[in-house]
Amino acid sequence: MSTSGVETPFRRVAADFAESRLAIAGLAMLILILIVAIGAPLVSPQNPYDLATLDIMDSKLPPGGKSLEGMTFWLGSDDQGRDMLSAIFYGLRISLGVGTLATVCALAIGLTVGLIAAWFGGWVESVIMRVVDLQLSFPSILIALVLLASLGQGVDKIVIALVAVQWAYYARTVRGAALVERNKENIEAATSLALPTSRILFNHLLPNVLPPLIVIATVQVAHAIALEATLSFLGLGMPITSPSLGLLIANGFTHLMSGKYWISLYPGIALLATIVSINLVGDQLRDVLNPRLQK
Amino acid sequence: MLVFITRRMLQSVIALLFMSVLIFIGVFAIGNPIDILINPQADQAEIARATAALGLDQPMWMQYWDFLRHALAGDLGRSFSQNMPAVQLIFERMPATVELALCAMLFAIVLGIPLGLVAGIKPDAWYSKTIMAGSIFGFSLPTFWVGLMMIMIFSVSLGWLPSTGRGHTTQLFGIPVSFLNWDGITHLMMPALNLALFKLSLLIRLTRAGTREAMLQDYVKFARAKGLPMRRIVGVHVLKNIMIPIVTVIGLEFGSLIAFAIVTETIFAWPGMGKLLIDSINVLDRPVIVAYVLIIVCLFVIINLVVDLLYSMLDPRVRLAEARA
Amino acid sequence: MIARLLTAVLLVIATAIVLPAAAAELVIGLGADVTSIDPHNNNAAPNNSIAEQIFNKLIENDPRQNLKPGLAESWRAIDDLTWEFKLRKGVKFHDGSDFTAADVAYSIERPGIINTPGGFTIYTRSIVEKIIVDPFTIRLKTATPYPNMPTDMAGLSIVSSKVARGATNADFDSGKATIGTGPWKFVRYAKGDRIELVRNDSYWGPKPAWDKVTFRLITSDPSRIAALLAGDVQMIEVVPTADFARLKTNKDITVFTTVSNRMIHLHLDSNRDKSPFITDKAGKPLDKNPLKDARVRKAFSKAINRNAIVERVMEGLAIPAGQLMPEGFFGVSPNLKAEVFDPEGAKKLLTEAGYPDGFGITLHGPNNRYVNDEQIVQAVAQMLTRVGIATKVEALPFSVYVSRANKIEFSVALLGWGVTTGEATYPLRSLAATYSQPKGLGTWNWGRYSNPQMDALLEQGLATVDNAKREKLLQQATELLINDAGLIPLHYQVNTWAARKGLVYVPRTDERTYAHEVRPVP
């Protein structure tokens, strides 16, 4: 940690982060994936969401195959004649967006609700926790199906479904952790000092419930993406003409035993790479940011 | 304690009522069960007859009122598609799922907590890093994908394990179980592992995070300074400190394992409740869906109760009177 | 204590290992869930397929769905309102009791007295009176001339009047009331898992080649294939199209195919002035419905490359369709061929109809019902886009889809129609006749297509008992419908089975998987 110059918090974090070579590799991979995902329309050879550019006669070509119009499918084509490479780039964009957005929303709702429950107790807590019980026992497919039937298909509906499925999970975990923290000396001290509630909540309670939450959250981004894939697998996911990574994998599932491995394998590898890199970065960040782990 | 449990039960009854209303409205919003159940050869008159036979010609609130009256008498209705009491259908399928979930949870706990402890105590060792990197794989890929890969590797290529199904069952207290005979065990292994993977990863990560923190706490440092053996430090002090979040998560995850093993059960043709749920949702078999979710609500209520009781045992600072929920 | 436990465990393991390795046992992987063993409970194909192996019907279907004698040796219409069935003598139920006309009479009553959703009353409600002439002759009277009586009787299982009387659904699932005359006797039904049957050694027809058969319910397609490859099952039905080519080249596997009675087609919203999912190219709702114009409908049909769908989406496991049923069925017109792919012709027709630049439309289809359903809709959308119709696709789970389609919420909707009756009145009256509640016609006419001329022909056909005359009428009705593009046939599915080497199965158009028709290679 003997970097030159002034010790700013950012530099300290950056330096700590750089201690792990694995995390650096993960970060590099994540940045690459983000660039590809955000710049998908620019780097893709084809717009896989435009039906006019697809030709069914180009379908299921192996990697390196050429389309009727002479375009090369470097990773092969899917069952509609989509270039797999382009489809993966576009799919990454949707999956990452959906996964992150859903996790952030669910985390925000769960955190707020969980903290409120733990702090106020009494009937507030009872009501909140029973709602959480209900939510946890409501099958996610049923939620997705009801949303699909009443609101129609679309990316926003999937995000709503994922948030609806996940927020209760955070709420329960937060409340559990907060209950313990609430009774610890520092909080009791703060309460007896009559500090404002919001300050106790945010300055004292929140930092202490965050570590287990971050662990769950990094896992849950991945879980959200996988859940979206599962919903697609059950026919409740994205519109089929604009496939996410999950939908690509779900579609490829039917081709797993057929020998046309590329339809399923490459999206799978892309998903794996994404999630591994998110977690490598997430793990290291958590260790670095956690004040209690400072040496 | 007794007051606490009674109050919790009362709250749960309200929750159940609320839930049943929600599902009624939900299934109503999805579509009309008759449209799916009816044989395509039926004409309009036959469709009207079948609709009336199932009471689906009534307005929704009437149907709900009927349901409620029967429910209070202990009858949650008959399945539209199978013409059997819904509760009976679910209980017939429950042992298979509970067995699968227990087995998966066992996998997750027995492997997850020790691996997490190891990775947390020596976070910089190569094996810890391997454990952590490996755990990422557990939740990166969708269950259905991993499940089929397992079948392809262990059944089709290697021929070690049977591909699908439940296999031979043995009666234990009148309940058919698989884990008492070899054929049953071989059938159980793959689906249980498939179901466990995600929970396993989660447990490894939670345990490691908790352990790392605990190792730096003053009392652990103190205990180490005092020269207590590592085994005792980990076994008593560390474990105790990390138990609360882990118990919460185990509780929650166990509930969700039982409730929503849908994908694993479908891939492995495991005749459990999850398969029943997805089949029922596909044909909008409302009585089964309602009964299923109500049973699951009860299950979660009980699990949460147990978890809260465990809290107070694991950490005397959390008092039930205070937890109040 | 531990020692005792250990011996117990060992004992259990030992018994598991020495489970009798039954001679000549067949295990078949089924692709759809069987929800009941009661043959009159729910008229769904997977249930019927099992029931028909335990029970017989008066008339059976051969693999091409031609009618052949079952429990009735012969049948004829003695006048316009009466059908007479001569029953087979010496047939015994599984419990040893004799089969007589009383069992037939009761089996016809039963669907009407048990309360079920997808019931069998459709086969029995035309009958106003049952006359038992002698124990082996029964006459069925109808109120109006009813030519379809033999087809209806080919759908109704005959149960024992003694055992089944008062029996519940649960009694059939447990086996208590599951007493039939069929080639297999019931052993066990484990819901969601398996059905076990043993050979009926006193069966009146050809004996099954196996002592025992187990049907395993493996609804996930790749898992079913895996079970076959791993040798856990010896035969599977509904081979996924994606895996077919590879299985075919596998030396350990034999595949069996035949054309299916199921036709995949599109309904076009053709009777309303405005259609919910039709827009101009910019996406604004169009105040006119182009699909009312037969030229536009015809243009749709010409724009679709059926060969490409068959070859690419269905991997060759389909046949381009030009009418309601494949060749060989009763009422098929020799004059109709599958529409030839002609994008230029389609553009010309669109121009003639006043849409030289096309318009915008959304196609709807299910995503979990028919073989590759959502891929088919996407492929059609591609093809329509190419002739200038800006096309979007929405694929929904069948449970959501079918309710909305029945409420006529779509502009173009995909449907698959299995002609279980094997003759043309069924698809004509369900899919194409003008929607009419009192007449019970046009029940599934999702496009609300209406052609009075065709209706007249069909209604005449429905009341004509003479076979040759009826067939002529049905052919004419079909030609009117197709030439007016009242609906657009895409393809007939192909039914598939795959088995381990050494087994033969006679593939069937009606998608049934009968264990008694699986035989070892001679």
Side-chain angles (χ1 to χ4, degrees):
Chain A
M1 257 195 263
S2 58
T3 39
S4 60
V6 199
E7 257 300 89
T8 65
F10 178 76
R11 282 207 181 183
R12 185 187 59 73
V13 168
D16 280 0
F17 187 88
E19 272 182 7
S20 161
R21 256 177 288 163
L22 209 57
I24 293 287
L27 187 65
M29 191 150 73
L30 189 59
I31 290 172
L32 185 73
I33 288 171
L34 283 175
I35 290 174
V36 163
I38 294 166
L42 301 173
V43 294
S44 301
Q46 184 197 51
N47 177 1
Y49 295 173
D50 180 5
L51 281 179
T53 65
L54 307 183
D55 192 327
I56 192 76
M57 298 313 287
D58 293 336
S59 63
K60 302 172 197 171
L61 294 177
K66 280 208 187 313
S67 80
L68 295 175
E69 286 167 9
M71 196 183 102
T72 308
F73 296 128
W74 293 110
L75 297 183
S77 64
D78 79 350
D79 53 13
Q80 287 295 320
R82 255 180 224 110
D83 173 35
M84 283 312 295
L85 187 66
S86 310
I88 288 172
F89 288 172
Y90 273 75
L92 260 177
R93 188 152 94 137
I94 294 195
S95 286
L96 274 176
V98 166
T100 319
L101 194 62
T103 307
V104 169
C105 293
L107 188 68
I109 297 174
L111 193 61
T112 317
V113 170
L115 279 183
I116 290 174
W119 184 254
F120 290 103
W123 66 270
V124 177
E125 185 180 29
S126 296
V127 169
I128 290 179
M129 291 328 287
R130 289 303 76 74
V131 173
V132 166
D133 286 353
L134 288 188
Q135 180 60 61
L136 287 172
S137 34
F138 211 98
S140 50
I141 346 169
L142 204 58
I143 296 176
L145 198 60
V146 171
L147 283 174
L148 180 72
S150 46
L151 302 177
Q153 225 164 22
V155 177
D156 42 341
K157 280 88 180 179
I158 294 292
V159 174
I160 297 175
L162 293 179
V163 172
V165 172
Q166 296 193 322
W167 72 269
Y169 197 93
Y170 293 111
R172 186 113 177 87
T173 318
V174 168
R175 175 194 166 253
L179 269 187
V180 179
E181 294 300 330
R182 217 193 122 172
N183 295 298
K184 283 194 178 158
E185 299 77 10
N186 57 338
I187 305 281
E188 272 173 6
T191 329
S192 56
L193 281 173
L195 290 177
T197 309
S198 60
R199 192 154 156 219
I200 302 176
L201 276 179
F202 285 99
N203 291 5
H204 297 278
L205 212 46
L206 190 61
N208 286 307
V209 298
L210 265 183
L213 211 58
I214 295 177
V215 188
I216 296 182
T218 44
V219 174
Q220 288 289 339
V221 174
H223 191 43
I225 296 176
L227 191 60
E228 185 262 309
T230 304
L231 288 179
S232 297
F233 171 66
L234 296 169
L236 300 168
M238 297 290 164
I240 39 165
T241 43
S242 43
S244 63
L245 210 50
L247 185 54
L248 286 176
I249 295 174
N251 276 345
F253 183 65
T254 46
H255 294 279
L256 264 183
M257 317 276 291
S258 70
K260 300 190 174 80
Y261 63 91
W262 61 90
I263 302 178
S264 177
L265 189 67
Y266 292 135
I269 291 175
L271 181 66
L272 196 65
T274 310
I275 291 176
V276 167
S277 58
I278 290 176
N279 279 282
L280 286 177
V281 174
D283 284 356
Q284 185 70 4
L285 263 186
R286 186 196 55 227
D287 289 356
V288 171
L289 288 178
N290 190 340
R292 287 189 252 161
L293 288 185
Q294 286 314 310
K295 297 152 207 172
Chain B
M1 175 86 175
L2 202 65
V3 178
F4 170 77
I5 292 178
T6 331
R7 192 181 299 140
R8 184 61 86 77
M9 287 295 139
L10 275 175
Q11 290 165 1
S12 304
V13 170
I14 298 170
L16 284 174
L17 265 178
F18 187 66
M19 199 67 174
S20 61
V21 175
L22 267 185
I23 304 166
F24 253 76
I25 297 172
V27 176
F28 215 76
I30 298 172
N32 180 0
I34 287 290
D35 288 335
I36 308 163
L37 287 173
I38 199 81
N39 184 283
Q41 274 177 273
D43 62 13
Q44 287 91 333
E46 171 64 20
I47 291 173
R49 187 204 65 80
T51 310
L54 297 182
L56 292 169
D57 51 341
Q58 308 282 333
M60 187 166 65
W61 65 269
M62 273 284 277
Q63 294 183 36
Y64 184 72
W65 174 241
D66 268 355
F67 161 79
L68 208 59
R69 269 189 315 146
H70 287 111
L72 290 178
D75 170 17
L76 290 182
R78 291 177 85 83
S79 154
F80 292 157
S81 67
Q82 311 202 26
N83 204 11
M84 297 266 275
V87 176
Q88 187 188 333
L89 278 177
I90 295 166
F91 282 130
E92 265 177 30
R93 304 280 279 263
M94 199 180 250
T97 297
V98 172
E99 179 178 39
L100 187 63
L102 275 175
C103 201
M105 209 68 233
L106 203 70
F107 266 130
I109 294 173
V110 167
L111 292 174
I113 294 182
L115 286 176
L117 276 175
V118 168
I121 293 167
K122 289 253 164 65
D124 293 321
W126 64 269
Y127 48 82
S128 302
K129 288 189 169 154
T130 315
I131 291 173
M132 292 310 291
S135 77
I136 297 178
F137 285 85
F139 55 81
S140 302
L141 288 166
T143 317
F144 60 86
W145 206 85
V146 177
L148 193 67
M149 279 300 165
M150 287 167 76
I151 294 182
M152 282 177 68
I153 295 169
F154 295 110
S155 304
V156 178
S157 302
L158 299 173
W160 290 351
L161 292 169
S163 58
T164 51
R166 197 177 177 200
H168 194 68
T169 53
T170 319
Q171 297 284 329
L172 182 72
F173 309 119
I175 299 166
V177 294
S178 311
F179 66 90
L180 287 181
N181 68 76
W182 185 243
D183 182 57
I185 292 172
T186 54
H187 278 88
L188 187 58
M189 263 155 64
M190 263 202 298
L193 192 62
N194 184 232
L195 198 57
L197 269 186
F198 178 76
K199 319 291 164 191
L200 175 62
S201 305
L202 196 64
L203 271 187
I204 291 181
R205 310 190 126 238
L206 274 175
T207 314
R208 170 181 176 269
T211 311
R212 279 203 70 182
E213 268 192 34
M215 292 298 286
L216 297 170
Q217 298 271 327
D218 293 338
Y219 64 86
V220 175
K221 284 186 183 157
F222 194 70
R224 284 170 86 170
K226 254 184 17 187
L228 282 180
M230 201 59 184
R231 258 179 51 199
R232 193 171 153 73
I233 296 176
V234 173
V236 177
H237 299 282
V238 175
L239 257 184
K240 198 164 175 189
N241 201 50
I242 62 174
M243 261 324 184
I244 288 256
I246 290 180
V247 165
T248 316
V249 170
I250 289 180
L252 281 181
E253 294 296 339
F254 183 63
S256 74
L257 274 181
I258 292 185
F260 313 124
I262 296 166
V263 173
T264 299
E265 288 187 2
T266 306
I267 297 294
F268 288 94
W270 188 263
M273 304 195 294
K275 189 74 181 25
L276 177 68
L277 178 68
I278 181 94
D279 289 341
S280 301
I281 287 179
N282 279 338
V283 296
L284 299 182
D285 198 337
R286 194 186 62 207
V288 180
I289 304 176
V290 174
Y292 187 93
V293 178
L294 293 188
I295 290 174
I296 295 300
V297 174
C298 293
L299 186 79
F300 271 82
V301 167
I302 294 169
I303 289 177
N304 285 346
L305 187 67
V306 172
V307 168
D308 280 349
L309 292 177
L310 273 179
Y311 277 173
S312 66
M313 269 186 255
L314 287 170
D315 191 338
R317 283 173 300 187
V318 182
R319 286 177 302 275
L320 283 179
E322 230 172 78
R324 263 186 311 251
Chain C
M1 178 65 204
I2 289 173
R4 262 224 315 260
L5 201 73
L6 209 67
T7 25
V9 169
L10 281 177
L11 210 75
V12 170
I13 292 172
T15 44
I17 291 169
V18 296
L19 273 179
E25 183 185 343
L26 181 66
V27 185
I28 299 177
L30 297 183
D33 195 24
V34 174
T35 58
S36 172
I37 304 293
D38 184 338
H40 301 145
N41 179 48
N42 191 357
N43 194 353
N47 290 10
N48 293 347
S49 183
I50 292 295
E52 286 161 7
Q53 304 183 56
I54 304 169
F55 300 92
N56 286 124
K57 298 165 295 182
L58 285 184
I59 298 170
E60 301 282 347
N61 283 309
D62 77 358
R64 307 286 309 169
Q65 275 182 274
N66 298 310
L67 302 181
K68 65 171 191 186
L71 288 177
E73 278 181 319
S74 66
W75 56 93
R76 67 192 174 106
I78 26 184
D79 58 56
D80 262 8
L81 299 178
T82 314
W83 284 90
E84 184 182 84
F85 292 84
K86 289 272 182 210
L87 305 183
R88 198 177 289 278
K89 291 179 182 130
V91 174
K92 292 209 181 294
F93 279 101
H94 297 159
D95 62 356
S97 59
D98 290 319
F99 157 75
T100 67
D103 300 309
V104 178
Y106 177 69
S107 300
I108 290 171
E109 260 165 45
R110 190 166 182 264
I113 47 182
I114 54 174
N115 214 4
T116 63
F120 284 77
T121 43
I122 42 173
Y123 302 135
T124 58
R125 66 184 163 175
S126 63
I127 300 165
V128 291
E129 200 189 345
K130 305 174 283 284
I131 305 165
I132 299 178
V133 180
D134 63 61
F136 297 99
T137 312
I138 189 165
R139 286 189 188 151
L140 305 175
K141 291 190 93 67
T142 57
T144 51
Y146 195 73
N148 277 344
M149 183 64 77
T151 335
D152 280 359
M153 287 303 114
L156 184 75
S157 289
I158 304 297
V159 295
S160 155
S161 63
K162 283 184 241 32
V163 183
R165 200 176 292 274
T168 62
N169 198 52
D171 293 331
F172 278 92
D173 289 352
S174 71
K176 204 176 124 201
T178 325
I179 303 297
T181 54
W184 299 99
K185 291 197 232 181
F186 178 87
V187 177
R188 187 166 83 99
Y189 167 44
K191 282 208 166 65
D193 184 24
R194 66 186 63 216
I195 295 132
E196 291 171 9
L197 309 175
V198 288
R199 178 167 57 200
N200 172 13
D201 282 317
S202 49
Y203 182 52
W204 55 267
K207 306 259 182 310
W210 318 95
D211 297 330
K212 189 183 171 203
V213 58
T214 302
F215 293 95
R216 299 237 344 249
L217 306 170
I218 311 176
T219 50
S220 154
D221 284 340
S223 313
R224 197 162 60 250
I225 295 272
L228 177 72
L229 292 176
D232 293 338
V233 300
Q234 283 127 305
M235 186 169 111
I236 59 169
E237 60 172 15
V238 199
V239 181
T241 53
D243 303 306
F244 190 80
R246 202 171 199 205
L247 276 190
K248 214 170 155 182
T249 58
N250 187 327
K251 277 201 275 311
D252 301 323
I253 305 286
T254 324
V255 291
F256 308 94
T257 60
T258 186
V259 66
S260 163
N261 62 19
R262 191 176 295 280
M263 182 232 357
I264 305 294
H265 64 274
L266 299 174
H267 281 291
L268 308 182
D269 189 7
S270 52
N271 208 22
R272 284 190 287 190
D273 291 329
K274 275 176 86 171
S275 192
F277 284 96
I278 295 186
T279 62
D280 62 10
K281 283 229 149 162
K284 276 209 301 288
L286 211 59
D287 51 4
K288 215 162 94 179
N289 178 4
L291 297 176
K292 276 186 91 168
D293 191 327
R295 286 172 298 187
V296 176
R297 301 200 297 264
K298 201 76 186 167
F300 270 50
S301 187
K302 281 183 186 294
I304 296 168
N305 186 347
R306 290 174 178 74
N307 287 323
I309 294 178
V310 165
E311 190 190 318
R312 289 295 166 152
V313 178
M314 303 300 290
E315 309 257 357
L317 289 172
I319 294 165
Q323 53 186 311
L324 303 171
M325 300 173 298
E327 251 171 75
F329 283 80
F330 185 86
V332 167
S333 160
N335 306 323
L336 292 171
K337 297 275 168 299
E339 185 89 52
V340 178
F341 174 51
D342 177 11
E344 290 315 311
K347 281 184 198 157
K348 226 172 86 194
L349 278 172
L350 284 173
T351 312
E352 275 174 35
Y355 302 95
D357 300 321
F359 48 89
I361 198 165
T362 304
L363 309 185
H364 285 84
N367 62 13
N368 57 358
R369 185 69 168 190
Y370 311 111
V371 178
N372 301 336
D373 39 18
E374 60 180 349
Q375 277 75 26
I376 298 166
V377 187
Q378 275 192 86
V380 171
Q382 275 186 27
M383 293 161 186
L384 291 179
T385 306
R386 274 168 199 263
V387 297
I389 299 165
T391 314
K392 285 189 226 137
V393 172
E394 201 171 355
L396 301 164
F398 192 68
S399 54
V400 177
Y401 176 74
V402 70
S403 289
R404 288 184 63 189
N406 275 338
K407 285 187 245 157
I408 317 298
E409 284 186 19
F410 302 138
S411 290
V412 177
L414 178 126
L415 180 64
W417 203 254
V419 187
T420 35
T421 61
E423 49 76 56
T425 60
Y426 173 39
L428 280 170
R429 80 178 151 79
S430 306
L431 305 174
T434 304
Y435 182 86
S436 161
Q437 184 106 29
K439 286 185 188 164
L441 292 177
T443 321
W444 293 76
N445 185 345
W446 283 352
R448 289 294 184 262
Y449 172 76
S450 174
N451 183 341
Q453 220 185 330
M454 194 215 79
D455 291 344
L457 285 169
L458 170 64
E459 282 177 46
Q460 208 183 329
L462 280 168
T464 307
V465 178
D466 183 282
N467 274 342
K469 273 194 212 147
R470 188 163 82 252
E471 178 152 37
K472 194 89 209 141
L473 287 165
L474 299 179
Q475 286 171 345
Q476 283 171 353
T478 309
E479 285 162 22
L480 271 179
L481 168 74
I482 298 297
N483 291 331
D484 198 26
L487 53 79
I488 299 183
L490 296 177
H491 56 257
Y492 311 114
Q493 289 187 353
V494 164
N495 293 338
T496 48
W497 290 264
R500 306 290 302 183
K501 205 95 204 159
L503 298 180
V504 252
Y505 187 63
V506 184
R508 301 178 62 88
T509 54
D510 59 6
E511 304 176 351
R512 300 283 197 264
T513 301
Y514 288 155
H516 47 281
E517 290 185 8
V518 183
R519 300 200 172 267
V521 171

